[in-house]
Amino acid sequence: MEDLLAGIAQHGFSIAVAAYLLIRMESRLEGLSQAIQELKLAIVEEGRRG
């Protein structure tokens, strides 16, 4: 337990930056996933018409 706390104390800033970036990236990935799904539906719909 003490080793864990010492590691966090030594690398706390790096951990905080990594966590911040992961949280930001998660929302962007969700947006991209939604856009891909919408594009897939549009392509399928266009294929049915054409």
Side-chain angles (χ1 to χ4, degrees):
M1 183 67 171
E2 291 178 17
D3 291 337
L4 177 64
L5 293 177
I8 291 173
Q10 185 174 2
H11 302 290
F13 179 74
S14 299
I15 292 171
V17 169
Y20 171 75
L21 292 174
L22 285 172
I23 290 169
R24 283 191 50 151
M25 187 176 288
E26 180 183 4
S27 65
R28 289 183 183 210
L29 287 175
E30 288 173 1
L32 285 172
S33 294
Q34 179 65 31
I36 290 169
Q37 289 298 325
E38 291 172 6
L39 180 59
K40 177 184 167 185
L41 292 174
I43 291 171
V44 169
E45 186 64 32
E46 187 64 30
R48 290 180 183 167
R49 290 182 195 171

